[in-house]
Amino acid sequence: MPAVLAFGAWLKNAACLLDGSTPQWSPVHGDLGDPEACRALEASVRLLAAQARRPLAGIAHDLHPDFFSTRLAVELAAAWGVPAVPVQHHHAHIGVVMADHGLEEPVLGLALDGVGLGTDGTAWGGELLWVAPREWRRIGGLWPLQLPGGDVAAREPWRMAASALQALGRGGEIAARFAPVVGAPAAKAVQRMLAAGLNCPVTSSAGRWFDAAAGALGLSVRQAHEAKAAIALEKLAAQHLAQAEVQPREDLVDPQALQRLDLRPLLGHLLAHPLDGPAAPEAAAWFHLSLAHALADWAAAAARETGVRTVCLGGGCFFNAVLATHVTGRLASHGLRVLAPRSTNCGDAGLALGQAWVAACQLATLTEAAPCA
């Protein structure tokens, strides 16, 4: 395997040197919006490069051209005379699992997280991929939702619930539903924004679907920390499932249309409940189980189409124990092998391992070197 140094993700950044069977990690630097984290990353990659036992064959970085990590990778690659290899974020998430388990055969990957730049220039985050060591393709993504206000929507889950109403053809209900909690001016502004498609980029992010569900149930209007809304939704679901059984919806997957997993009916069900109503725990549990079954059935349909029997789970949404447990169980019921990261976590702090593995595989192909796994 060629020696590769990977520069990691934007959030929870950590760098990784893959120079043999055991990866070498930097400390977790934090988010690259912080100048101190950027300085720490540069110091770490220089130290890791100096510790490499063999000359570096390449440097791996995220696909996003504006990240500090990308700019630094391109700069240092030029200075060191090695190629800079861009790696798509969700491809890297599945690469983490494949590197961790030493896989060389093709797999299906469910990559679920907040956001990562896709190859089509849009924000991905709920992806079904086919991945082999030296090639990959996107089979499909979650039904896209608009992000009213762009990144602001990730900090204000009520906006994602408003986006769900718009996606359901019920945009005219936004102001009436959310004015009591955010004020009439804000609710009306978002309603107009969504209707006009103004400053409303789209995303297939699973994290934003969780935000929409939490916002629909009134569990989170604004969140100061990433995934706060999703954590509140999971906690409510877990508490209910510990006391009662829930019958999930199981008719969301169309085997003839794997390019899009349409989850709009799930949010339509949640939006039938009043904000912060007494049925919220049961609705949260129903959402989790219905989503888990839909995701697993989606992957199972792709397994039948491709002949692949292994499914890898990657991305920060799998920190959600309710989701991970039920996706894994449902996939197993389809007779599929299910793998998750072992030596690192499933979120962005472990992403650099997948970046390094993907780049090493590509470079091995170009140089006809040894297998990457």
Side-chain angles (χ1 to χ4, degrees), residues 53-330:
R53 295 173 297 175
R54 297 173 294 156
L56 291 178
I59 290 176
H61 61 85
D62 192 85
L63 195 62
H64 202 299
D66 297 330
F67 286 176
F68 170 80
S69 53
T70 298
R71 298 196 302 270
L72 179 64
V74 171
E75 175 188 326
L76 292 181
W80 296 344
V82 297
V85 183
V87 180
Q88 199 279 324
H89 187 92
H90 302 95
H91 183 195
H93 270 309
I94 304 307
V96 170
V97 189
M98 297 183 75
D100 209 359
H101 291 269
L103 301 180
E104 295 187 32
E105 72 273 16
V107 304
L108 293 171
L110 278 172
L112 311 177
D113 65 2
V115 67
L117 181 66
T119 56
D120 60 359
T122 66
W124 291 5
E127 313 307 316
L128 178 59
L129 309 178
W130 178 93
V131 182
R134 292 178 174 84
E135 56 182 323
W136 72 287
R137 61 185 173 90
R138 185 194 198 201
I139 294 174
L142 300 185
W143 189 275
L145 291 175
Q146 292 177 284
L147 294 164
D151 290 342
V152 176
R155 300 190 294 270
E156 299 185 5
W158 76 271
R159 290 178 180 246
M160 294 312 305
S163 179
L165 277 171
Q166 181 70 27
L168 288 162
R170 295 165 52 188
E173 301 174 26
I174 292 171
R177 184 175 183 90
F178 294 107
V181 290
V182 301
K188 290 178 181 178
V190 166
Q191 180 172 314
R192 291 194 296 269
M193 191 182 301
L194 284 163
L198 179 65
N199 191 18
C200 291
V202 298
T203 181
S204 58
S205 166
R208 301 294 79 79
W209 277 91
F210 275 102
D211 287 347
L217 294 175
L219 301 180
S220 178
V221 176
R222 297 177 178 86
Q223 53 184 355
H225 306 290
E226 182 193 13
K228 182 179 178 181
I231 291 169
L233 189 73
E234 178 195 1
K235 182 178 179 180
L236 207 61
Q239 290 172 346
H240 185 81
L241 290 170
Q243 302 171 356
E245 293 186 3
V246 173
Q247 182 60 47
R249 182 161 179 167
E250 298 184 356
D251 63 347
L252 296 174
V253 176
D254 180 355
Q256 306 304 315
L258 298 181
Q259 295 83 2
R260 288 291 180 214
L261 178 58
D262 189 353
L263 301 178
R264 289 179 296 174
L266 299 188
L267 292 184
H269 178 84
L270 300 193
L271 287 162
H273 296 275
L275 283 172
D276 203 19
E282 181 180 2
W286 180 88
F287 175 80
H288 272 79
L289 265 61
S290 298
L291 174 61
H293 283 208
L295 290 166
D297 293 350
W298 189 34
R304 290 190 293 271
E305 183 176 282
T306 61
V308 173
R309 305 304 299 168
T310 298
V311 181
C312 296
L313 309 180
C317 287
F318 284 111
F319 283 125
N320 183 321
V322 175
L323 179 72
T325 297
H326 287 277
V327 168
T328 299
R330 183 73 167 184

